Amino acid sequence: MNARRKILLVFGTRPEAIKMAPLCHALRAAPDFETLICVTAQHREMLDQVLNIFAIRPDIDLNIMRPGQDLFDVTTHVLLGMRDALREHSPEAMLVHGDTTTAMTAAIAGFYAGVPVGHVEAGLRTYDLRAPFPEEFNRQIVSKVTRWHFAPTELNRSNLLAEKVDPAAITITGNTVIDALFWMLDQIKADPARAARIDGFLGERLSFDWGNCPFVLITGHRRENFGDGFLQICQALKDLARRHQDIHFVYPVHLNPNVQKPVNEILAGQDNVHLLAPLDYEPFVRLLQHCRLVLTDSGGVQEEAPSLGKPVLVMRNVTERPEAIAAGTVKLVGADHDRIVTGVSELLDSEASYNAMARAHNPYGDGQACGRICDVLRNLP
Ligand code: UD1
Ligand code: UDP
């Protein structure tokens, strides 16, 4: 092996950045790697928030985000940008993450350029190409061109084996989101001044005593929920807010215009509904720690909340993360008005139902995923 192996990490959206951040730290701290970081900036503001919090300075920034971009825009701009980046930097290997169009397109670029690809968060599947759309397609494409599959769980590994992936190419690592979450929790715990700053920030943004009053934390952005799904979600939140006037509903709203429009049109002005700009990871984790329950269609939040013992209702019909459902701390409610209202009300009204779901466990990792990934990369022939 070369003295220093040149590894290129590629990511572009908020969740990829959060999940790759601890790996950037681990690789940059190891003397045996030359680590290059390329951001596509498929997200701009929401990516930069994460880069700031984790103090990561990219070497390459493709800066592709356009307001209201579609999948054609993202795919084309990432592919052409990656062609130039790979020509200029010639890495020995590249790492992509998960299931975004950045990950899919960067992996294709690696394949075209003959650069071997490592896939972080490999093997998640619903086997329904429309759900989540286009993520299920993206991750299956990434797997096709991946040399090293870093699978978070045993189930993810078995999905890959069923697709005839060479067992020697798969390592079960846990999910790096747990590394990121534990890092963030440690930072908050170790630095009371930092914790006070975050709490002060939240105090300015929220007009209720969020440290003591019960609240539901909400996020949502899935493409397959655009249109009718988001109308149902927002109407359900409006009805819940009226029915449970002693509960607050805190919703940091994703910047996608397909989300902003229905959320602001239907929910603005409701007294106990608090619509916020996307939060930095620090205050978001703080809210996760303090909320009563979580209502989300997010992948990452489904993985973080179980570690903090928070019940999660997932506004999707299928999930590629069934481990916490099997453990009883996550339930699917679809983007369906009645199921959302019933599911949330049951958890708010029944202590027994709540207690049955509120249990801390870590099906997605132990916070050591990045070390395992570094070990594999260090020991390549
Ligand atoms: C993307 C990913 C999705 C991931 C999600 C995480 C794809 C196809 N979608 O969806 O898998 O779960 O990110 O959040 O890869 N915008 C801004 N500023 C930002 C971010 C977004 O203004 O910082 C707005 C822009 O108008 C942009 C639009 O949101 O054009 C859509 O962004 P895009 O990355 O295409 O889709 P997401 O819905 O964010
Ligand atoms: N998150 C955040 N600020 C917010 C909302 C979410 O930092 O206002 C974090 C959250 O903790 C998780 C990640 O963003 O780690 C999830 O991102 P998103 O839901 O956009 O994408 P997905 O995980 O569904 O791909």
Side-chain angles (χ1 to χ4, degrees), residues 238 260-268:
K238 192 170 183 172
Q260 288 279 334
K261 191 167 182 286
V263 169
N264 285 303
E265 280 178 7
I266 298 173
L267 291 170

Side-chain angles (χ1 to χ4, degrees), residues 25-26 44 72 104 109-110 124 170-172 181 195 199 265 272 279 289 294 320 335 374 379-380:
H25 289 172
R44 185 72 273 173
F72 298 88
M104 183 269 290
L124 282 69
I170 308 170
T171 309
I172 297 180
L181 177 66
D199 291 1
E265 280 178 7
N272 54 339
L279 290 167
Q289 286 181 297
V294 181
E320 58 288 299
C374 288
N379 294 315
L380 297 176

Side-chain angles (χ1 to χ4, degrees), residues 88-100:
E88 186 179 342
H89 296 279
S90 305
E92 275 186 72
M94 58 186 274
L95 299 178
V96 301
H97 182 279
D99 56 20
T100 64

Side-chain angles (χ1 to χ4, degrees), residues 38 70 80 120 134 137 177 201 221 227 330 365:
C38 171
D70 64 19
L80 294 177
V120 181
F137 170 78
V177 77
F201 166 86
H221 67 82
V330 170

Side-chain angles (χ1 to χ4, degrees), residues 34-288:
E34 179 187 349
T35 306
L36 288 175
I37 296 169
C38 171
V39 295
T40 65
Q42 176 178 334
H43 286 174
R44 185 72 273 173
E45 300 87 340
M46 288 161 61
L47 171 75
D48 292 342
Q49 284 181 294
V50 182
L51 297 176
N52 282 336
I53 293 293
F54 286 89
I56 291 170
R57 190 184 291 242
D59 303 283
I60 307 154
D61 188 333
L62 303 183
N63 197 25
I64 68 133
M65 197 200 88
R66 301 290 174 271
Q69 66 201 5
D70 64 19
L71 298 175
F72 298 88
D73 296 319
V74 177
T75 306
T76 311
H77 293 131
V78 172
L79 193 60
L80 294 177
M82 286 308 302
R83 176 183 63 186
D84 296 344
L86 291 173
R87 275 185 188 154
E88 186 179 342
H89 296 279
S90 305
E92 275 186 72
M94 58 186 274
L95 299 178
V96 301
H97 182 279
D99 56 20
T100 64
T101 296
T102 281
M104 183 269 290
T105 312
I108 291 176
F111 177 65
Y112 288 168
V115 177
V117 174
H119 188 198
V120 181
E121 198 178 270
L124 282 69
R125 295 288 185 268
T126 63
Y127 293 109
D128 177 351
L129 288 183
R130 308 298 308 181
F133 173 87
E135 290 82 2
E136 178 66 17
F137 170 78
N138 287 344
R139 58 189 167 224
Q140 291 195 28
I141 297 294
V142 176
S143 293
K144 290 284 177 213
V145 298
T146 291
R147 172 122 17 127
W148 308 289
H149 305 258
F150 301 111
T153 69
E154 183 60 55
L155 177 71
N156 304 146
R157 179 173 181 271
S158 62
N159 289 337
L160 292 167
L161 291 175
E163 293 169 22
K164 307 271 183 268
V165 173
D166 176 1
I170 308 170
T171 309
I172 297 180
T173 57
N175 198 307
T176 59
V177 77
I178 306 299
D179 301 36
L181 177 66
F182 287 0
W183 182 87
M184 194 75 262
L185 293 172
D186 283 348
Q187 301 285 314
I188 296 172
K189 204 167 162 190
D191 185 351
R194 186 169 182 167
R197 263 199 318 277
I198 302 168
D199 291 1
F201 166 86
L202 285 169
E204 283 167 18
R205 291 293 183 287
L206 293 168
S207 56
F208 72 101
D209 181 5
W210 63 273
N212 294 302
C213 299
F215 66 92
V216 178
L217 183 60
I218 300 134
T219 76
H221 67 82
R222 297 249 80 86
R223 267 182 162 71
E224 65 272 19
N225 288 343
F226 291 170
D228 180 60
F230 263 93
L231 295 180
Q232 299 223 25
I233 290 169
C234 293
Q235 197 52 54
L237 287 171
K238 192 170 183 172
D239 292 345
L240 280 164
R242 286 186 179 152
R243 185 155 154 183
H244 301 276
Q245 304 222 346
D246 51 336
I247 305 289
H248 293 270
F249 294 81
V250 178
Y251 186 170
V253 187
H254 194 289
L255 293 179
N256 194 315
N258 295 296
V259 180
Q260 288 279 334
K261 191 167 182 286
V263 169
N264 285 303
E265 280 178 7
I266 298 173
L267 291 170
Q270 301 291 310
D271 279 351
N272 54 339
V273 177
H274 307 266
L275 303 180
L276 304 176
L279 290 167
D280 281 346
Y281 192 49
E282 292 175 298
F284 188 77
V285 166
R286 200 86 177 122
L287 290 182
L288 262 181

